[in-house]
Amino acid sequence: MEVVQMQRRFVEYAASLFREGFLDGQFTQLQQLQDESNPDFVVEVVSLFFEDSEKLLNDLSRALDQQNVDFKRVDSHVHQLKGSSSSIGAQRVKNACIAFRNYCEEQNTDACLSCLQQVKQEYSLVKSKLETLFRVSARSLLLKDKTNLESGFQTSFSKSDC
Amino acid sequence: MPDEIGGFDLSPGHSEEEAHVLAVDDSLVDRKVIERLLKISSCKVTAVDSGRRALQFLGLDEEKNSAALDGLKVDLIITDYCMPGMTGYELLKKIKESSTFRETPVVIMSSENILTRIDRCLEEGAEDFIVKPVKLSDVKRLKDYMTREDRDGNEGRGINKRKLGEACDVSPSFSSSPPSISSSSSSWSAPSSPTSLDSPTRRLKTSTCD
């Protein structure tokens, strides 16, 4: 049955993200905070994370591009990024930030630039994976609704019923 | 509605009103999460992005004593430690200095599990210290302060309820191995430090946990 396959795909894909360390237990916490009254909670928080991160990554690029790098400022941005990635469970981004901060302390520009590349890479990976996850999830829900309608079921229990 | 974890007597007839929490955090992502965590735990939430705004909300900003705006009831203040401008620690001090809100429990959140920081906050009168990222089990524990404060008056911040809280932690179904140790047993897992021995005993008696 298509719906079941779709849902299984979602579950498997999500499981792989945890297995590969892209996501950690904090993401599961967020999933637990989602319910019928707040059906889009995870997507909303993650979207905020994307916006926030993109701004921080730009700020970081600019800060490291200066003649005299202000490492305190760089560290502050990385600290923020570390915080928000930790709050949504983006484990690899968080870990990349932790390494980054060590080099900020050492005031090592080259190492920082390299860390920034690393963070950008991890960020872009987790972003694309989360977007895929949301797409698969939305599709499975739509399909479930469609199937239920066709077979005359009530959709009152469906998450997409806002 | 979220599950009520058994073992926590949230005193049924305690209050018809929901507890009102003031949450302070400069991170938009964290504000959204803490707000949801609190709401799902049946609290009313006011979330602000700075210590300054928190003081304004509480009516403490201009040192006016008309702080207790009629009907304004704050049962708990939860604040991030690291914030630009005014830190959570500075905010804590200001709250404890005020006559109107000094009895209101204040909880500090921080992404860093630094013992001296924790001690300093507790010595200044913080109720608890939560290491980020904040989880549902952390928030459920907070509800305890709010109801018991009202019921008992002050004493009774025993370690036992917190330990129960840890045991009731919801375990993720397919997460990878748990993240750093600091995130689960937040505030009281640190071994006792010499500097805190002279702190008010009320808080200290709970620091002997293992």
Side-chain angles (χ1 to χ4, degrees):
Chain A
M1 197 183 148
E2 239 186 306
V3 176
V4 174
Q5 273 175 359
M6 213 43 183
Q7 287 174 333
R8 195 185 303 143
R9 256 220 269 170
F10 167 75
V11 170
E12 281 170 359
Y13 190 67
S16 74
L17 296 185
F18 284 100
R19 213 170 31 243
E20 290 162 24
F22 288 103
L23 299 176
D24 64 25
Q26 188 61 17
F27 188 78
T28 312
Q29 280 282 311
L30 296 188
Q31 289 175 306
Q32 283 160 0
L33 297 178
Q34 183 162 289
D35 60 21
E36 296 74 37
S37 66
N38 273 259
D40 301 316
F41 178 70
V42 181
V43 173
E44 285 168 6
V45 182
V46 172
S47 301
L48 285 176
F49 168 70
F50 290 160
E51 276 173 44
D52 204 38
S53 303
E54 263 140 53
K55 184 178 168 298
L56 286 168
L57 289 171
N58 282 336
D59 289 345
L60 278 166
S61 296
R62 250 198 312 276
L64 283 169
D65 203 27
Q66 303 299 308
Q67 193 73 299
N68 290 322
V69 177
D70 180 351
F71 284 99
K72 265 209 159 123
R73 189 187 186 84
V74 174
D75 183 70
S76 160
H77 290 323
V78 180
H79 172 80
Q80 280 184 61
L81 185 54
K82 176 185 148 238
S84 54
S85 56
S86 160
S87 293
I88 69 143
Q91 189 176 246
R92 279 161 60 151
V93 176
K94 179 188 76 174
N95 290 340
C97 288
I98 292 174
F100 197 155
R101 289 191 84 193
N102 292 333
Y103 290 113
C104 288
E105 244 183 283
E106 289 179 22
Q107 310 218 340
N108 184 336
T109 307
D110 285 337
C112 283
L113 281 166
S114 158
C115 284
L116 178 58
Q117 275 316 105
Q118 188 70 4
V119 173
K120 279 182 168 172
Q121 201 171 308
E122 291 299 346
Y123 168 72
S124 115
L125 276 169
V126 82
K127 178 168 197 259
S128 97
K129 286 174 189 291
L130 284 170
E131 284 170 340
T132 302
L133 186 68
F134 295 144
R135 254 198 319 273
V136 176
S137 159
R139 230 180 276 148
S140 84
L141 291 170
L142 281 172
L143 205 49
K144 187 166 107 180
D145 267 353
K146 179 171 174 287
T147 310
N148 287 337
L149 280 170
E150 283 166 0
S151 49
F153 281 133
Q154 302 251 332
T155 54
S156 53
F157 55 83
S158 153
K159 277 187 184 183
S160 61
D161 210 21
C162 295
Chain B
M1 283 319 285
D3 294 340
E4 287 302 319
I5 293 183
F8 283 82
D9 178 19
L10 292 180
S11 178
H14 150 68
S15 170
E16 306 80 350
E17 283 176 23
E18 285 184 324
H20 179 211
V21 181
L22 175 64
V24 191
D25 200 316
D26 61 312
S27 158
L28 185 49
V29 171
D30 287 356
R31 271 203 308 284
K32 182 143 177 100
V33 174
I34 193 81
E35 194 170 4
R36 182 70 189 134
L37 282 168
L38 289 165
K39 283 188 172 157
I40 213 171
S41 308
S42 311
C43 297
K44 281 203 295 272
V45 189
T46 300
V48 298
D49 65 1
S50 71
R52 176 108 279 159
R53 288 230 215 277
L55 291 177
Q56 282 168 3
F57 180 78
L58 296 170
L60 300 178
D61 200 22
E62 315 287 40
E63 309 287 43
K64 289 193 185 108
N65 277 346
S66 56
L69 305 171
D70 287 278
L72 176 69
K73 173 180 83 85
V74 175
D75 298 295
L76 177 87
I77 298 165
I78 180 165
T79 177
D80 190 24
Y81 185 94
C82 281
M83 295 187 291
M86 187 187 299
T87 66
Y89 177 68
E90 286 158 358
L91 175 60
L92 165 69
K93 283 209 288 197
K94 288 230 164 22
I95 291 168
K96 291 301 170 188
E97 280 162 15
S98 77
S99 48
T100 32
F101 291 102
R102 85 158 61 102
E103 294 303 314
T104 306
V106 180
V107 173
I108 311 283
M109 305 178 278
S110 174
S111 55
E112 278 146 340
N113 192 7
I114 300 172
L115 196 50
T116 47
R117 178 180 292 188
I118 297 172
D119 280 346
R120 203 192 318 145
C121 291
L122 296 178
E123 279 172 30
E124 202 57 47
E127 200 63 39
D128 201 349
F129 189 100
I130 296 175
V131 179
K132 284 178 158 182
V134 185
K135 307 202 296 290
L136 204 49
S137 56
D138 295 318
V139 175
K140 285 196 192 279
R141 197 172 78 212
L142 297 182
K143 287 226 67 180
D144 223 33
Y145 300 136
M146 297 186 269
T147 48
R148 284 159 86 224
E149 281 288 311
D150 274 335
R151 247 196 303 143
D152 301 349
N154 37 40
E155 290 302 327
R157 289 180 205 103
I159 191 63
N160 299 320
K161 289 236 173 186
R162 282 189 207 103
K163 282 297 189 188
L164 274 177
E166 301 301 353
C168 294
D169 231 347
V170 187
S171 48
S173 39
F174 37 58
S175 70
S176 51
S177 57
S180 65
I181 49 166
S182 59
S183 61
S184 48
S185 47
S186 28
S187 52
W188 304 101
S189 60
S192 58
S193 87
T195 54
S196 52
L197 279 175
D198 297 325
S199 298
T201 51
R202 244 182 353 166
R203 282 179 277 286
L204 244 292
K205 75 178 169 196
T206 58
S207 70
T208 54
C209 72
D210 295 325

